[in-house]
Amino acid sequence: MNLCLMRCSIFLGTTFSFKKSHPIPTDRPLIIVANHQSMHDISPIIWYMRKHHPKFVSKKELGKGIPSVSYNLRHGGSVLIDRNDNKQALREIAKLGKYIEKHCRSAVIFPEGTRSRTGHPKPFKTTGLKLLMKNAPSALIVPISINNSWKMSPYGKFPLGICNSITFQAHEPIPIDGDLDALIAKTETTITSAINSFK
């Protein structure tokens, strides 16, 4: 399904590339941390990281109204959080952390909290990411830098952008060891250093 969603973009002249600078093991849970530029970030991560069974931390509004994507978020093991209810959000994120720790899966989180409509990264909100790390202590953090996805939706849902090259760069996995704030800062720096609009 996610491959088909990506292939549909061919008619717009869109290309996708996913690069890994280091091997990513399949025998440990992962916390995939990425900047967020558009809805077009999701299908490539699911497809290219499919060996790791990615689950998402998503806002509850995405759980309905988007064909195939909403269904996958509701029934594929992801968690839908209410950004106006901190207790519910933290409870769901903690549950996801425990789930990936137990079943050796991966959790995807966009710590900016919302999409960047210009490609320029927003400061990370650390609470959710830190909670995932505490509940999945054996996980590796996998930073991913996303470029040009925002150009697919420069005016909102319509019209879509054309002839864009969307790139995903997966960086060296980082073990959860030591001060969590320092690890999050390192992860954020790694991601933003490879975002074109940030240079």
Side-chain angles (χ1 to χ4, degrees):
M1 179 189 70
N2 289 285
L3 178 61
C4 288
L5 289 173
M6 292 167 57
R7 291 292 182 261
C8 287
S9 299
I10 290 176
F11 297 104
L12 297 172
T14 303
T15 61
F16 295 89
S17 68
F18 194 101
K19 298 179 181 179
K20 300 177 184 178
S21 59
H22 294 77
I24 301 175
T26 57
D27 60 348
R28 292 179 66 172
L30 305 177
I31 298 174
I32 299 169
V33 184
N35 60 304
H36 194 20
Q37 297 189 348
S38 80
M39 288 297 297
H40 301 277
D41 300 337
I42 296 174
S43 291
I45 291 177
I46 294 174
W47 174 251
Y48 289 113
M49 298 294 286
R50 61 191 181 277
K51 291 182 179 179
H52 306 280
H53 307 280
K55 315 299 178 187
F56 287 78
V57 176
S58 300
K59 60 182 181 180
K60 69 174 186 178
E61 291 83 358
L62 298 180
K64 57 183 179 180
I66 308 172
S68 70
V69 173
S70 294
Y71 182 88
N72 186 49
L73 289 174
R74 291 197 312 270
H75 302 286
S78 297
V79 295
L80 298 170
I81 63 172
D82 184 347
R83 292 187 294 183
N84 295 317
D85 185 344
N86 286 335
K87 289 184 178 179
Q88 182 272 350
L90 296 178
R91 185 169 60 249
E92 291 297 308
I93 292 172
K95 182 173 71 175
L96 180 59
K98 293 173 182 176
Y99 174 83
I100 66 168
E101 179 75 11
K102 180 179 179 180
H103 298 284
C104 197
R105 297 292 193 250
S106 62
V108 182
I109 187 169
F110 302 111
E112 290 164 291
T114 187
R115 290 170 284 172
S116 169
R117 299 188 183 278
T118 63
H120 191 85
K122 299 180 179 181
F124 278 13
K125 298 177 181 179
T126 63
T127 304
L129 178 52
K130 191 177 295 185
L131 195 58
L132 277 178
M133 295 163 70
K134 288 180 178 178
N135 284 277
S138 69
L140 293 172
I141 300 171
V142 180
I144 294 181
S145 301
I146 302 173
N147 280 296
N148 299 326
S149 173
W150 69 273
K151 294 179 181 179
M152 287 291 288
S153 308
Y155 310 107
K157 294 182 180 179
F158 187 83
L160 294 175
I162 60 173
C163 300
N164 293 305
S165 176
I166 301 176
T167 65
F168 296 75
Q169 175 65 55
H171 302 278
E172 182 177 6
I174 304 170
I176 299 175
D177 184 26
D179 181 68
L180 297 187
D181 290 314
L183 288 175
I184 292 173
K186 178 181 179 180
T187 300
E188 183 174 7
T189 299
T190 299
I191 292 170
T192 56
S193 67
I195 298 175
N196 293 337
S197 64
F198 195 63
K199 296 177 180 179

